[in-house]
Every structure is written in C-alpha cells, then in structure tokens.
Amino acid sequence: MHDLHSERMSGRETRAASGLALVFAFRMLGMFMVLPVLATYGQDLAGATPALIGLAIGAYGLTQALLQIPFGVISDRIGRLPVIYVGLLIFAAGAALAANADSIWGVIAGRVLQGAGAISAAVMALLSDLTREQHRTKAMAMIGMSIGVSFAVAMVVGPLLTRAFGLAGLFWTTAGMALLGIVIIALMVPRAAHPLQHRESGVARQALMPTLRHPDLLRLDFGILALHAILMASFVALPLALVEKAGLPKEEHWWVYLTALLVGFFGMVPFIIYGEKKRQMKRVLTGAVAVLLACELFFWQFGDSLRALVFGAIVFFTAFNLLEASLPSLISKVAPAGGKGTAMGVYSTSQFLGAAVGGILGGWLFEYGGVATVFVGCAVACAIWLAIAVTMREPPYVTSLRLPLCAAALADARLAERLLAVPGVADAVVVAEEAAIYIKVDTEQLDRTSLERLVTPAPERAEA
C-alpha cells in the first residue's frame, strides 16, 4: 500500500514544490524587506508620523487576513492558477504604487494593495494537487523553510537595498520579484489535472466551526497573532533604538540583523529536536514565550547601548525562530483528523491579523511614549500569551494520514470505529465524497498491519 510507505519524490513533484517554494519566498521577501527600514527611512516621507509608519508596516496584514480564505475558496471554483496570477499582479501593483509614493499615505495604500494579493491558501492547495499523499508533508516543509529563509534574507538585504536605491528602489525590487513569481509559475510549475478537494490543505466548511471552538487551537491561533504583533511592534522600535540610543547609522543596521538571525537560527535547532524527541513541545513553547518576555523587558531597561541591543536582538530572534517553527507543527498535531487545512487557514489569518495589530499599536505607542513604551507594550503582550500558553495541554504526538478507500471499505459503516481500535490510531474520520479516510496516528505505537488490513481489501494487498 503506497500511502504508508515512503518513496522518493518524482521529478514533477520536486519541480512543483521547489517552484512554489520560490514563489512564496519572493513574495515574502517583498513583504519583509521593508520591516527593518520603514521606521528609519519612512521618516523622510511627507506627512510621516510614528503612528502612520506603524500603520504602513502592518497595513498589508489587514487585507491579507481578510482575503486569504476567500481567495482559497475561489481557487476551488475557478482553478488555482488564475487566482495565483491575479494575486501576484495585485501584489506587484501595490509595490509599484508604494514605489511612486512621496507621502506616507501613498506607501500605506501600496502596502494595503500588496496584502490584497492573498495567494497563500491557493498556493498550498496547488501544492496538494501536484504532490502525492506520502510526500505532501515534505513539500509543505520546503515552503515553510523558504518562508524562514526569505525572512532572514529580507532582514539583511532590505537595509542594503534601501541604502543603495532608497525606499522607492526597494519597492520596485519587490514588484519585480512578484513578476518573477509569475514567470516561475508559468515555466517551472507543472499543470494539475484538476483541483483536489482535500481537507489537509484547504479550508473545509464542515470543519470551520469545530476549529473555531477548539480550545487548544484557539490558544495556538492567539499565539501566532501575538508573535507577529510583537515582531511588527518591535520593528517600529528596534531600528529607531539602534539610531537614537546606540548611535548606529541606519545604513549599518544590516549586520545587526545578520548576526542575530544566524545565531538565532542555529540556537533554536537543539530546542526543536529536544521538544519533538522527548515529547516536551509544551515546555519548549512556554519557555520560548518566557524568553521573549524577558527580551522585551531587557530592551526596555537596558537597551541603550549597541552591545545590549545586539545581544537582545540575538536572544529575541532565537526565541522568535523557535516559536515560528514550532507553532505550525503544533497546529497539525492538535487539529482533528481531516481538519488540518481549516486549522492552518484560521492560523494564517490570525498571523496576518497580528502583523496588522502589531504595526498599528507599535506606531501608536511610539508616538505617545517613545521606544521604551513600545517595549513595555510588547512585554505585556508576551505576559498575556504566556498566561494562555501555560493552560494548554501537552499536544498529542501524532502524524496525519489521508488514505484512499476502495468501495468495500467505504461501504463499511463502522470503519472509523474499527480503526480507532487499532493501537496507535488517535482519530479517524471518513469523508465519503473524497472516497478517503483521514487518520491521526502515533507512529511509535502504530500497528501498521492491522491498519492496512482494514483499509485495503485482500486482493489489493496480494498485488501490493
């Protein structure tokens, strides 16, 4: 039975996954490159105030949060490619609008339009259409890694590009990247035969209410909202603190972010391994939130020298990277069988909402109380998150599988019940219209033979 036995990804699947990961990376690069520079370079724009700069930093999150799920649903109806092409064109138009702006309001309008090119859900759905079951997690991990890498690259390249070409040059580069994304989709990504209705990668209407009522999923949704709010607000304050308190010219900021991200990336790896291997993800999560809280308090009290700010940034990014990597894996562990796509849709929406809230609040706090007030506000957000995270249950250490069902297995009204009796099966739901069953299994305890016997009839087993 192929679905439980891993083979190598085919050339077509590798092309699809790497092409879509590149499109995601270019788009995210465009979103993130303004983070380290808008607070400092944005002050030269007509009408700029700290509150409006904060709004410009977070504005894309508002339209992204509003449109992401609807775009995903539209892609189920009219096909993935038209939605992705239109989304990338909207994103490029937003970047061009911001590049031509000479006032802060023009940049805000451009950022709002950029966010309206909300293609994340459609790209993920296309990835599911183009990859087989047993390789889907690997393909999604490639996209996850591309987002992480693009964030790190953006923190370094953003200040260097802006130093060379100004804010307008930065936005033109972003527009160019979106157009390059269209070329990659056209030339590199294979065509899907037809859209799959697939509950692990898209939002299913039937799973929406259970997702919104699930206490631990809601805790994780609040977590990603808080994390991105803290990130955006910190980027209203940190570049300004580097200039005003540490006396580091804005053209030199890139090396601070490069150091912090490199050390932070390698610093988080042992904790991820420990959390997964020892099944201590809750401890890792709450520990990282506590470190983030300590970081913001450290910035507030001691962030008045370059050495202190660089040290704080290194610790901040270690905790940030750890949380950014572990929250999606917790979502897929906690989501009920057949509900992962919906849970990820709500989670992504929360993430973009957090970016909007953080940018707006960070700018507002800075305007009314300076850098120190922003760090205090971030510390309060961390404390609230910590109080919520502590009440979470230890997640189940399970893997999601989607297995196609033959007619005989589909006709068995008690199939899900029988599967739940198999050692290692934690959850099971039959979706008749997909002729498939979604199950969550603990691979350490799973009795594969019993599982295969139930979902595959004897003749097929003999052939396999």
Side-chain angles (χ1 to χ4, degrees):
M1 191 173 96
H2 288 313
D3 291 85
L4 288 177
H5 301 298
S6 187
E7 327 151 27
R8 292 178 61 177
M9 284 173 90
S10 70
R12 187 172 187 268
E13 286 172 319
T14 308
R15 233 172 57 238
S18 39
L20 292 173
L22 269 177
V23 170
F24 236 109
F26 285 149
R27 192 170 153 279
M28 288 320 215
L29 205 53
M31 288 291 194
F32 292 139
M33 277 196 304
V34 300
L35 272 192
V37 297
L38 210 48
T40 47
Y41 286 86
Q43 292 172 329
D44 303 334
L45 291 163
T49 66
L52 290 177
I53 286 173
L55 177 58
I57 287 174
Y60 82 91
L62 283 172
T63 37
Q64 187 87 24
L66 281 172
L67 296 173
Q68 197 206 202
I69 290 177
F71 268 37
V73 173
I74 292 167
S75 83
D76 286 340
R77 300 247 171 89
I78 68 166
R80 318 290 185 212
L81 290 176
V83 169
I84 295 171
Y85 284 140
V86 168
L88 286 168
L89 285 171
I90 291 171
F91 184 84
L97 180 61
N100 282 311
D102 49 12
S103 77
I104 189 70
W105 286 108
V107 171
I108 290 168
R111 292 284 280 169
V112 167
L113 190 56
Q114 272 189 312
I119 58 167
S120 313
V123 170
M124 286 302 201
L126 181 59
L127 188 70
S128 288
D129 297 345
L130 293 169
T131 51
R132 285 167 296 164
E133 207 65 48
Q134 64 268 39
H135 300 307
R136 199 155 292 132
T137 309
K138 211 183 301 174
M140 289 191 172
M142 284 169 75
I143 285 193
M145 278 167 61
S146 78
I147 294 170
V149 170
S150 68
F151 179 74
V153 171
M155 291 296 109
V156 179
V157 172
L160 289 172
L161 264 177
T162 314
R163 181 169 83 177
F165 305 108
L167 265 184
L170 181 76
F171 282 119
W172 280 122
T173 307
T174 301
M177 282 177 174
L179 298 175
L180 192 56
I182 292 175
V183 174
I184 290 169
I185 295 270
L187 301 182
M188 189 174 168
V189 176
R191 297 291 163 262
H194 54 84
L196 282 179
Q197 289 303 314
H198 197 296
R199 288 198 180 195
E200 294 294 77
S201 58
V203 173
R205 209 171 285 116
Q206 309 88 318
L208 198 54
M209 281 324 287
T211 301
L212 294 173
R213 287 202 203 101
H214 194 297
D216 279 345
L217 284 178
L218 289 175
R219 285 181 179 91
L220 295 169
D221 292 334
F222 179 81
I224 195 65
L225 187 146
L227 183 64
H228 278 256
I230 291 159
L231 176 73
M232 294 296 165
S234 296
F235 268 106
V236 172
L238 194 57
L240 292 167
L242 284 168
V243 172
E244 291 169 13
K245 308 237 173 167
L248 186 70
K250 59 190 178 185
E251 293 80 15
E252 305 276 305
H253 288 193
W254 65 270
W255 69 260
V256 175
Y257 302 125
L258 179 62
T259 310
L261 279 154
L262 276 178
V263 179
F265 179 76
F266 291 109
M268 74 153 181
V269 174
F271 296 102
I272 289 274
I273 294 168
Y274 164 79
E276 289 288 357
K277 283 267 190 297
K278 302 283 184 195
R279 303 198 161 191
Q280 292 288 348
M281 284 306 289
K282 182 186 170 183
R283 181 182 289 182
V284 167
L285 177 81
T286 50
V289 179
V291 169
L292 215 53
L293 169 58
C295 244
E296 296 293 347
L297 294 173
F298 175 82
F299 281 139
W300 169 47
Q301 280 299 307
F302 307 106
D304 45 16
S305 74
L306 183 57
R307 185 177 292 171
L309 287 169
V310 172
F311 170 76
I314 288 170
V315 180
F316 177 91
F317 277 113
T318 306
F320 174 83
N321 286 337
L322 180 54
L323 289 160
E324 186 80 350
S326 53
L327 282 166
S329 104
L330 284 167
I331 287 275
S332 58
K333 285 177 171 61
V334 170
K340 189 168 103 182
T342 308
M344 285 307 292
V346 174
Y347 169 87
S348 297
T349 301
S350 309
Q351 175 180 327
F352 293 122
L353 211 50
V357 167
I360 293 163
L361 275 181
W364 184 76
L365 287 170
F366 182 84
E367 189 154 315
Y368 291 98
V371 168
T373 314
V374 181
F375 292 136
V376 171
C378 289
V380 170
C382 288
I384 295 167
W385 181 11
L386 188 57
I388 289 170
V390 165
T391 61
M392 190 178 99
R393 290 170 301 185
E394 190 67 51
Y397 289 84
V398 289
T399 303
S400 301
L401 296 172
R402 175 185 183 271
L403 306 176
L405 294 177
C406 61
L410 263 178
D412 182 353
R414 294 183 56 219
L415 179 63
E417 204 181 307
R418 288 183 215 277
L419 278 168
L420 287 170
V422 173
V425 176
D427 193 6
V429 60
V430 175
V431 181
E433 58 269 28
E434 290 181 35
I437 186 160
Y438 291 90
I439 54 175
K440 306 203 76 163
V441 297
D442 183 333
T443 47
E444 284 183 15
Q445 298 173 7
L446 180 65
D447 178 354
R448 284 178 182 266
T449 321
S450 304
L451 180 63
E452 292 190 16
R453 195 177 295 124
L454 280 170
V455 296
T456 319
E460 275 191 43
R461 280 206 307 278
E463 285 166 32

